[in-house]
Amino acid sequence: APPGFDQPVAHEPLPRSLAARAGRGEGAAECDMFALGVTLVALLKGAVPTDDVVQARTALRYQSGSMAVFMSGFDPSARMKELLAGLLQDDSKQRWEVDDVYDWLAGRRSRSAPIKGLRDGVRPFEFRGARYGSPAGIAHAFAEAPDAARHTLRERGLVDWLWRSCGDKDLAARVKVLTHLDAKDRATRSSLSDEDLALVCLALDPNGPLRFRGLSLMPDGLGPLLATAIMNEQVDDLKVISQVIERGLVIEAVQQSALFSRDDPYVSTCRSHQAYLKFPGRDMGLERCVYELNPGAPCMSEMVRNYCVTTLHDLGQALNRHAGGDKVPIGRPRDRHVIAFATDLMSPGQMQAVRLGAVGATQGAEDCMGDLAFFACIQRTEKTGAMRGMARWIRSRMEPALDSFRSSTR
């Protein structure tokens, strides 16, 4: 399962708790420290809020802080409160580390952690009858009510609040640009796309999840989320994920987040994936993205999904078993998943051997000659032994190539 997939929402820090279960990302040590704090709350109170309750109290967590929400109705000792305030700090930079806990255990004075929500504004910002004290809390509210958010963003209220109440002129200027408030064309000023709203939410909450068309994910959670959507055949999610990649929203999220370095190699990987979707050949598309983003993931082709194929040797053996029934399988032995999976694993020498094996194929025979060269390469280099099922399957598809030989002249 992806990292954090089965973790209760209460045990996740505020930003990751808002992401889809499969899109929470790898996390870090500070996430474990938060989970430790929630575990202590469970031991002290006998339970922690359920996922539904925690999600319903998200706005309150932004306003009052996770500790205040989780410890509601329970008053621990001053010493225990000090520990919990350090572990349940919503600002990851202020959250206690392991050394701080050791200092606390030894009775030494540790870093003090304020018990409060994420507040930046001198006065709150009002949206749909609720009051918000931080840009991150507003981002969450906007994502929950996108139509109302667009209506609000057509006016200068948020920009003025960021400038005057938060004193963040750079953020105010950024939001002003994203919302087209200076556009001379009235139609441009009044039209805010889903992409515009996603970028506004990223600007307001750069360390939070990417929120786009009802989907929420941490930037490094893209791979597991994509794999889960493919395995579960979540067509609507796959469309949104494709748009997230094509429009470079993950790149934008990485570059704005303090959790990544400015020159993080993940950015170049995401740029490659944009190209895969722009030119979706048989070895491109989402299939190519999913194997690059999930090293070691098994091949997700329906033909071999039940065999847990993780190597080229396994691929050859599994397809051979798939073809070993009474009837020859219909269709090509290399679907988009098989091609993308193998492309990600093959060495340059193997790739060259496959290309050379199909050189000179006549029009109409390229596919069958390519399949023959592909599986011949796997059999030879991966030492799979005899593959009689594959031989029968490929033979059934060789008519275009055989016809070209029959009609050739000496």
Side-chain angles (χ1 to χ4, degrees):
F5 185 82
D6 294 319
Q7 176 116 297
V9 173
H11 289 73
E12 292 285 0
L14 187 49
R16 282 166 54 90
S17 72
L18 303 176
R21 292 172 62 194
R24 291 173 175 171
E26 288 291 333
E30 54 264 28
C31 300
D32 296 330
M33 300 308 291
F34 186 90
L36 172 61
V38 178
T39 302
L40 292 175
V41 171
L43 293 174
L44 290 169
K45 295 184 64 175
V48 292
T50 62
D51 287 0
D52 291 341
V53 172
V54 173
Q55 290 170 339
R57 296 179 180 175
T58 297
L60 186 58
R61 288 179 71 181
Y62 276 114
Q63 180 180 350
S64 303
S66 292
M67 179 179 172
V69 172
F70 293 154
M71 295 300 293
S72 176
F74 183 81
D75 188 22
S77 66
R79 180 163 164 75
M80 181 57 67
K81 187 179 293 185
E82 180 187 21
L83 174 63
L84 293 175
L87 294 175
L88 297 179
Q89 176 60 234
D90 287 315
D91 185 346
S92 61
K93 294 180 180 178
Q94 295 189 44
R95 191 175 303 143
W96 278 12
E97 301 174 355
V98 173
D99 288 342
D100 294 306
V101 176
Y102 280 133
D103 288 342
W104 179 87
L105 288 170
R108 295 189 291 270
R109 184 177 179 81
S110 302
R111 286 188 298 151
S112 60
I115 305 173
K116 65 175 184 178
L118 297 172
R119 298 177 185 171
D120 293 310
V122 175
R123 57 182 177 81
F125 178 81
E126 293 190 9
F127 175 66
R128 299 180 73 210
R131 309 177 88 187
Y132 299 91
S134 70
I138 296 171
H140 171 68
F142 280 0
E144 292 289 297
D147 290 337
R150 289 189 183 90
H151 180 76
T152 297
L153 290 170
R154 293 191 186 109
E155 307 296 333
R156 293 185 55 92
L158 178 61
V159 171
D160 291 342
W161 181 81
L162 293 169
W163 182 292
R164 297 171 183 171
S165 186
C166 295
D168 195 334
K169 297 181 180 180
D170 291 338
L171 179 55
R174 169 77 171 154
V175 172
K176 187 177 181 180
V177 171
L178 292 173
T179 53
H180 317 299
L181 287 176
D182 282 340
K184 296 180 180 180
D185 180 14
R186 185 174 181 180
T188 302
R189 289 199 307 271
S190 61
S191 63
L192 281 175
S193 66
D194 293 332
E195 183 177 348
D196 292 331
L197 185 56
L199 293 174
V200 169
C201 289
L202 274 177
L204 295 172
D205 187 16
N207 294 327
L210 167 62
R211 305 160 170 104
F212 180 69
R213 293 188 173 174
L215 200 63
S216 181
L217 68 147
M218 299 302 288
D220 58 342
L222 175 63
L225 184 65
L226 174 57
T228 301
I230 289 175
M231 293 297 289
N232 295 331
E233 299 179 357
Q234 297 167 326
V235 178
D236 291 339
D237 283 354
L238 287 173
K239 290 180 180 178
V240 177
I241 292 171
S242 294
Q243 293 167 349
V244 164
I245 297 173
E246 287 176 325
R247 301 181 186 191
L249 292 177
V250 175
I251 297 173
E252 189 71 27
V254 170
Q255 292 178 333
Q256 290 200 38
S257 174
L259 305 177
F260 298 85
S261 62
R262 296 292 297 177
D263 56 348
D264 196 293
Y266 188 45
V267 172
S268 61
T269 298
C270 292
R271 294 195 192 283
S272 297
H273 296 161
Q274 284 182 294
Y276 295 162
L277 296 186
K278 187 176 181 181
F279 306 104
R282 287 183 60 85
D283 59 342
M284 298 292 185
L286 282 178
E287 293 83 3
R288 181 72 177 274
C289 297
V290 74
Y291 296 111
E292 283 197 2
L293 287 168
N294 297 278
C299 182
M300 300 175 199
S301 168
E302 291 186 1
M303 297 184 292
V304 299
R305 189 172 289 185
N306 295 330
Y307 295 105
C308 192
V309 170
T310 58
T311 66
L312 291 174
H313 181 276
D314 293 343
L315 178 65
Q317 297 283 15
L319 284 170
N320 186 55
R321 287 193 291 270
H322 177 72
D326 295 335
K327 295 182 179 180
V328 176
I330 299 175
R332 288 188 66 182
R334 287 194 302 163
D335 62 14
R336 293 183 66 91
H337 272 289
V338 168
I339 292 175
F341 174 80
T343 300
D344 192 53
L345 292 181
M346 277 185 159
S347 66
Q350 289 174 313
M351 294 290 290
Q352 184 179 16
V354 172
R355 286 194 295 268
L356 291 176
V359 168
T362 57
Q363 186 174 4
E366 299 95 336
D367 285 351
C368 58
M369 290 301 294
D371 292 341
L372 176 62
F374 177 84
F375 288 104
C377 176
I378 288 182
Q379 183 182 42
R380 182 178 67 258
T381 60
E382 301 296 323
K383 299 180 172 54
T384 61
M387 295 198 296
R388 294 180 176 84
M390 283 304 308
R392 185 178 61 156
W393 190 358
I394 292 177
R395 167 62 185 85
S396 71
R397 300 185 55 79
M398 289 297 291
E399 282 304 320
L402 296 176
D403 288 344
S404 68
F405 283 115
R406 294 190 188 109
S407 60
S408 63
T409 57
R410 294 187 179 219

